Amino acid sequence: MFNPSQQDVRRFFCETYRKNQAREILTPLEAIASDWIRQHPEYDETLHDAEEALQANYSVDQGQTNPFLHLSMHLSISEQISVDQPRGVKAAFQMLANKYNSEHEAHHQIMECLGEMIWNSQRTGLPPDGQAYIEALQQRCR
């Protein structure tokens, strides 16, 4: 399984940003990431300076959003939807997109549930609970 380091993730998004700005050819994964980067122009300054991005500390204590975590979650959710894994995530996405009239907002709703599932897994030491994740998504669809 692919398990990139924090530095790898940051380099990936910074390099994708650079390649997109230079109008270079993107890999399929970079193209998906680039779409999310374009939808988050507030991250442009961060992505522009790769060396600074590699050193940055995004502390929740200081109320800072980690742009790399946020973009990574968008990428993960995109992949989940494309393969409907866990089963039901694609239908939940479609329902949320209709409910909020926005695919982007649907992603953010899913992101909340995904974050909660990961947090619970880390807190309990148990594997992520895909069924609880889908149930949380279904609650948001109502």
Side-chain angles (χ1 to χ4, degrees), residues 77 80-81 88-114 133-142:
I77 292 165
Q80 289 176 3
I81 292 165
V89 72
K90 185 174 188 173
F93 164 71
Q94 291 167 338
M95 290 170 51
L96 288 166
N98 288 335
K99 179 178 180 178
Y100 291 99
N101 199 29
S102 166
E103 290 186 356
H104 195 157
E105 180 56 31
H107 260 249
H108 283 197
Q109 293 294 316
I110 294 169
M111 198 176 290
E112 292 292 324
C113 297
L114 178 60
Y133 174 46
I134 294 301
E135 288 170 8
L137 291 175
Q138 290 169 341
Q139 287 288 333
R140 288 184 182 248
C141 290
R142 294 186 180 128

Side-chain angles (χ1 to χ4, degrees), residues 3-107:
N3 190 18
S5 70
Q6 175 181 303
Q7 302 299 329
D8 293 336
V9 170
R10 290 178 182 204
R11 281 187 191 97
F12 168 77
F13 282 109
C14 290
E15 180 63 8
T16 298
Y17 177 82
R18 185 201 66 73
K19 285 174 71 175
N20 188 55
Q21 294 296 308
R23 304 219 189 281
E24 294 178 15
I25 295 172
L26 302 172
T27 68
L29 185 60
E30 288 170 336
I32 296 167
S34 183
D35 288 342
W36 288 113
I37 289 168
R38 276 194 296 278
Q39 292 186 53
H40 287 282
E42 68 273 23
Y43 299 153
D44 285 0
E45 187 176 328
T46 298
L47 297 169
H48 180 72
D49 188 342
E51 290 308 312
E52 187 174 314
L54 291 172
Q55 303 303 318
N57 181 19
Y58 299 98
S59 171
V60 175
D61 303 349
Q62 298 173 1
Q64 294 178 310
T65 298
N66 182 332
F68 302 101
L69 175 60
H70 189 85
L71 292 169
S72 293
M73 289 182 81
H74 272 303
L75 211 52
S76 295
I77 292 165
S78 293
E79 179 66 14
Q80 289 176 3
I81 292 165
S82 76
V83 297
D84 194 28
Q85 189 61 33
R87 192 163 210 42
V89 72
K90 185 174 188 173
F93 164 71
Q94 291 167 338
M95 290 170 51
L96 288 166
N98 288 335
K99 179 178 180 178
Y100 291 99
N101 199 29
S102 166
E103 290 186 356
H104 195 157
E105 180 56 31
H107 260 249

